[in-house]
Amino acid sequence: MSLPIQALRLWLRIAKRWWKTNVGLHHTASRRSTLWAAMAQHDAHFRAVYEQAGVGISQVDLTTGRYISVNQRFCEIVGYTEAELLRMSYRDITHPDDVALNSADRGSLLSGRARTCSAEKRYLRRDGTVRWVKLNVSVIFDDQGRPLIDLGVVEDISDRKRAEAALSDYKRQLETLVSERTMALEREMQVRDSVEQRLFQEQELAQVTLHSIGDGVITTDARGRVDYLNPAAAKLTGWTPETARGRQLGSVFQLVDECDRTPY
């Protein structure tokens, strides 16, 4: 691929100025031949770097937005051939939601407010898929300071974007799980508080009932030790609840046979 005509003209003007300054107009034909050979070699090196770069490179007409040069890596990123891209503008392959962003950046470049700009954007590939890229654009000026073309360097960041999206999805899922678990715990606490409140009310009611009835009531633990006497039981046994608590039931209240008065 040869250099775009605008860039080639700029290169020739620069070379001519260098020639007049450093070589002069009266050098021999052999010297001129050596100089032009060196320039041709430099041009070949530039084109080799341009074509073999690991990033996409494109040159776009500042007025029309049409591509005037693209390298192979750029073609691979967007899925179009070089011939197809040279008939298109950057708008044709830019995601609709990103066109306004590109237009704003180009406006800054054309007005001179900025010499370079950088943005993350989406390209629509030929197969309909979306490819995320990081685009760095610089303006190339001629020797009179007039803008000629913009030079775009494109890095494919689709893998990074997919990883970010996966991480974001995982974060949302985790937040959802935490929120659901928090609500479940809050419901459990409400149920527990409700149950505890009911138990407390029932205990209060039982205490009031036991204190009010005329029958003596004594409760013990599993080992037969007294843990409660109601007022009627305390009156019948002569034991206060405090002194009876922890004693064996037989030492506080002796059950006897109703007929012969023998202890059970």
Side-chain angles (χ1 to χ4, degrees):
M1 178 192 303
S2 60
L3 288 172
I5 188 65
Q6 294 96 332
L8 182 57
R9 288 173 179 170
L10 176 60
W11 171 252
L12 291 174
R13 282 195 294 269
I14 294 172
K16 184 177 180 181
R17 180 179 297 177
W18 185 91
W19 168 265
K20 289 181 179 180
T21 303
N22 299 283
V23 179
L25 297 176
H26 305 293
H27 272 273
T28 64
S30 175
R31 180 60 177 168
R32 290 196 300 270
S33 177
T34 301
L35 175 62
W36 287 110
M39 292 171 60
Q41 184 180 22
H42 179 78
D43 177 56
H45 288 168
F46 172 79
R47 284 187 282 110
V49 171
Y50 185 83
E51 282 302 315
Q52 299 173 20
V55 293
I57 302 175
S58 66
Q59 296 186 38
V60 175
D61 185 278
L62 282 171
T63 304
T64 65
R66 292 176 66 89
Y67 290 106
I68 56 178
S69 176
V70 293
N71 72 345
Q72 181 58 36
R73 179 56 183 149
F74 188 84
C75 295
E76 294 171 355
I77 291 173
V78 299
Y80 288 92
T81 66
E82 177 188 355
E84 289 171 328
L85 287 169
L86 296 184
R87 295 191 299 268
M88 305 169 71
S89 77
Y90 75 90
R91 300 180 190 85
D92 296 326
I93 61 172
T94 297
H95 192 283
D97 293 342
D98 297 339
V99 171
L101 173 65
N102 271 166
S103 297
D105 289 340
R106 287 178 62 81
S108 297
L109 294 173
L110 288 171
S111 66
R113 294 194 304 271
R115 291 295 183 94
T116 63
C117 62
S118 177
E120 293 183 356
K121 61 173 289 184
R122 288 160 291 181
Y123 281 130
L124 296 177
R125 286 171 50 85
R126 196 175 193 280
D127 60 9
T129 59
V130 174
R131 186 66 61 91
W132 273 98
V133 300
K134 181 177 182 181
L135 173 64
N136 295 284
V137 179
S138 301
V139 178
I140 297 177
F141 296 86
D142 64 14
D143 55 352
Q144 301 299 317
R146 294 170 299 195
L148 285 176
I149 56 176
D150 70 32
L151 178 68
V153 178
V154 175
E155 178 188 359
D156 188 345
I157 59 171
S158 297
D159 289 342
R160 193 196 81 193
K161 285 293 186 178
R162 281 191 289 269
E164 290 176 352
L167 182 60
S168 179
D169 288 343
Y170 176 76
K171 182 180 178 180
R172 283 196 296 270
Q173 292 174 6
L174 186 60
E175 290 174 346
T176 299
L177 289 174
V178 171
S179 177
E180 291 175 349
R181 182 54 182 159
T182 299
M183 289 188 292
L185 288 173
E186 289 175 350
R187 288 193 295 268
E188 291 176 3
M189 292 177 63
Q190 292 173 354
V191 171
R192 185 189 66 185
D193 291 344
S194 176
V195 171
E196 289 178 349
Q197 182 65 24
R198 289 180 58 186
L199 287 174
F200 176 78
Q201 292 173 351
E202 291 175 358
Q203 288 175 349
E204 287 295 303
L205 178 61
Q207 289 290 334
V208 171
T209 301
L210 290 174
H211 276 72
S212 302
I213 62 176
D215 296 330
V217 178
I218 302 175
T219 62
T220 65
D221 60 19
R223 296 184 178 182
R225 293 175 299 193
V226 174
D227 55 24
Y228 174 78
L229 284 81
N230 72 342
K235 185 176 181 180
L236 290 172
T237 62
W239 291 84
T240 66
E242 291 75 17
T243 56
R245 185 174 295 112
R247 294 178 176 273
Q248 289 295 319
L249 177 61
S251 65
V252 175
F253 180 69
Q254 182 66 54
L255 295 175
V256 297
D257 185 276
E258 186 178 4
C259 298
D260 57 14
R261 310 300 294 177
T262 58
Y264 283 107

